[in-house]
Amino acid sequence: MTSSNDVSVMVSFFIVLLYSCSSYVVSEIPATSSNGKFYECICQNSDYCVPFSTAFVTPTNASFTTILQSTAQNLRCLVPSVVKPQLIFTPMAESQVQAAVICSKQLGLQLRVRSGGHDYEGLSYISEMEPPFIILDLSKLREIMVNTEENFAWAQAGATVGEVYYRISEKSKTHGFPAGLCTSLGIGGHITGGAYGTMMRKYGLGADNVVDARIVDANGRILDRQSMGEDLFWAIRGGGGASFGIILSWKLRLVPVPSIVTVFTVPKTLEQNGTKILYKWQQVADKIDEDLFIRVIINVVDNKDKKTIQTAYNSLFLGRADRLLQIMNENFHELGLTQKDCTEMSWIKSIMYIAGYPSNTPPEVLLQGKSLFKNYFKAKSDFVKDPIPEDGLEGLWKRLFEEDSPLVIWNPYGGMMAKISESETPFPHRKGVIYMIQYLTLWSDPAKESATKHYDWIRRLYNYMTPYASMFPREAYVNYRDLDIGMNKNGTSSFIEASVWGNKYFKDNFNRLVKVKTKVDPENFFLHEQSIPTLPITRKGKGKSMNQ
């Protein structure tokens, strides 16, 4: 048995070991370098210090490229010509996130925050602004605590959506959470943009079901909902990532799910009356029973000796197959859904089905947080409020045939999405939206000429779709970030300039987001190519700003 004196000696030794870690900076990296100064500052401003090699990686380290690419989805953001960070810091504790903000400000470093690495333009791991910049990788902060009795879960920012789903299902077969379809999304950044998924028509977005949060603000303070106030709490639930602070964790409201749900995927080609069926889908997608989510995945496939368009109707129904068939026969019999098309399963199995895992894959694979998707790609988005006529669809098919590997996904709205006010959260795409479109072009060649070709194609497609998309503004989804619609080069964009993209993402909520930003981050520390800008400071009196 260990004596209390022995324990005291051991604790003292451990404390000495931790606080003497600044010696590592001498042996592993010059203390006078920018990275050395950052490391020393982290040690001085967090609860404890770790050896440099434990949590810090520089471009000279053999593992740098592996870590940089570990969660990155968009390979075009990793080509050699793209500027790389001077340091990747993976904090082990919340106090080190606080220290990262304090030290980045002191040393004049840009901070890019990565929770999952799915940013479509790679802004969580690259920067088109003036270097230097560092990446704060939250992948070690991934604890999840589930309380099914009180219907909530706390999830740290580095946990993936799939991990959250798994931990909920581990505790209960009749609880769920309405967030994304891609299970490798980092929950931290995902919810900052809204977070839609297969249960959005029943329960709204992930952001609609957040009841508390912990963030690090621009002064390095940890705030919860009470201490941050309702304005900031409103802004972080859909106002886009990395403008207001660093999300540490979300408190999620769990929702009821049936013990058995039903899924199906029914493909239809043009030769199988695909155009007319899709036209009918537009009439019913947002009006059908809110337990039913039917998205359409559209691509070009080989059909014997020629290519054709395939529209695959991919669905989750919160109930049994018999009721689903009744609903479909009454509302969308054109699809021809039959009993054999339907598969009943648990909610957690449906998560894996929609995410594209093989049917025999155990749910534990969700704990690995691995992405099934890594590609060179460019994406855009639209919101549709009036059905696209058949001749408009035929024009879309013509353009899809022109591209090597196009992908278009239509996600239905209606239900709860139409019942929540546009101003309830910053995510404004609500009543009147029939569906959202995601356009993608994918390629495998890293050459710049190849990227240019695919960029040109998707921009032409986007232009073609103008008459069919929402107008004034033409709306876009912030989690499908698109730098084509406007870009903040070096933090100098004015309110008017930023409105170009801000109004597309947030509509009238953009004005309120700017006011919140000016109040909580007046020095504009949390900055990236499409961050929310601050209002200019006037000098009529100390601390006076335009919105006071």
Side-chain angles (χ1 to χ4, degrees), residues 199-216:
M199 296 199 291
M200 64 191 282
R201 302 189 66 251
K202 179 76 170 181
Y203 296 117
L205 307 172
D208 297 328
N209 291 278
V210 167
V211 294
D212 204 344
R214 286 168 56 81
I215 71 166
V216 175

Side-chain angles (χ1 to χ4, degrees), residues 113 115-116 119 124 138 157 161 177 179 185-196 205-208 210 213-215 232-250 252 425-428 477-481 505-506 513 528 532:
V113 184
S115 62
D119 189 297
S124 59
L138 302 178
V161 170
F177 184 70
L185 286 161
I187 195 78
H190 179 47
I191 290 177
T192 62
Y196 79 86
L205 307 172
D208 297 328
V210 167
R214 286 168 56 81
I215 71 166
L232 182 51
F233 184 64
W234 173 85
I236 62 176
R237 292 175 297 135
S243 281
F244 303 96
I246 300 172
I247 305 297
L248 293 174
S249 55
W250 298 109
L252 313 173
T425 70
F427 183 97
Y477 180 36
V478 70
N479 271 2
Y480 294 152
R481 196 178 296 286
Y505 290 144
F506 309 113
L513 287 169
H528 59 74
I532 302 296

Side-chain angles (χ1 to χ4, degrees), residues 41-247:
C41 182
I42 295 291
C43 288
Q44 291 164 7
N45 287 280
S46 56
D47 289 345
Y48 62 91
C49 190
V50 294
F52 187 87
S53 58
T54 302
F56 301 81
V57 181
T58 68
T60 59
N61 191 292
S63 61
F64 177 81
T65 300
T66 301
I67 292 172
L68 178 64
Q69 296 182 1
S70 59
T71 60
Q73 272 205 311
N74 201 340
L75 299 181
R76 68 180 170 84
C77 301
L78 297 171
V79 294
S81 59
V82 172
V83 177
K84 305 298 185 290
Q86 71 172 40
L87 184 71
I88 301 173
F89 173 34
T90 307
M92 308 289 185
E94 292 183 346
S95 66
Q96 292 181 336
V97 180
Q98 292 178 274
V101 171
I102 293 166
C103 298
S104 297
K105 289 180 80 171
Q106 283 184 10
L107 298 170
L109 298 170
Q110 277 188 70
L111 199 59
R112 295 290 160 125
V113 184
R114 182 167 79 175
S115 62
H118 281 239
D119 189 297
Y120 272 28
E121 297 283 12
L123 301 187
S124 59
Y125 49 93
I126 69 170
S127 172
E128 301 215 12
M129 298 181 178
E130 293 297 322
F133 76 99
I134 64 173
I135 292 176
L136 187 68
D137 187 328
L138 302 178
S139 59
K140 293 287 175 65
L141 301 178
R142 59 195 319 136
E143 289 185 13
I144 301 164
M145 187 278 289
V146 178
N147 184 331
T148 54
E149 290 183 6
E150 297 185 31
N151 296 316
F152 74 83
W154 273 103
Q156 282 191 303
T160 64
V161 170
E163 286 177 294
V164 173
Y165 293 156
Y166 180 85
R167 293 304 180 199
I168 294 169
S169 71
E170 198 176 32
K171 292 286 184 74
S172 168
K173 305 305 177 194
T174 56
H175 286 77
F177 184 70
L181 293 77
C182 181
T183 57
S184 58
L185 286 161
I187 195 78
H190 179 47
I191 290 177
T192 62
Y196 79 86
T198 55
M199 296 199 291
M200 64 191 282
R201 302 189 66 251
K202 179 76 170 181
Y203 296 117
L205 307 172
D208 297 328
N209 291 278
V210 167
V211 294
D212 204 344
R214 286 168 56 81
I215 71 166
V216 175
D217 75 354
N219 296 312
R221 300 174 300 180
I222 293 180
L223 306 174
D224 62 7
R225 179 174 183 172
Q226 184 176 1
S227 55
M228 78 176 79
E230 289 303 302
D231 280 347
L232 182 51
F233 184 64
W234 173 85
I236 62 176
R237 292 175 297 135
S243 281
F244 303 96
I246 300 172
I247 305 297

Side-chain angles (χ1 to χ4, degrees), residues 510-525:
F510 178 66
N511 295 338
R512 183 177 172 189
L513 287 169
V514 172
K515 289 180 180 179
V516 176
K517 170 73 170 182
T518 304
K519 180 180 177 183
V520 302
D521 184 17
E523 296 176 7
N524 204 14
F525 171 71

Side-chain angles (χ1 to χ4, degrees), residues 299-312:
N299 61 358
V300 178
V301 297
D302 291 319
N303 183 24
K304 297 178 182 176
D305 295 331
K306 64 171 187 173
K307 291 187 179 297
T308 188
I309 301 294
Q310 177 178 278
T311 54

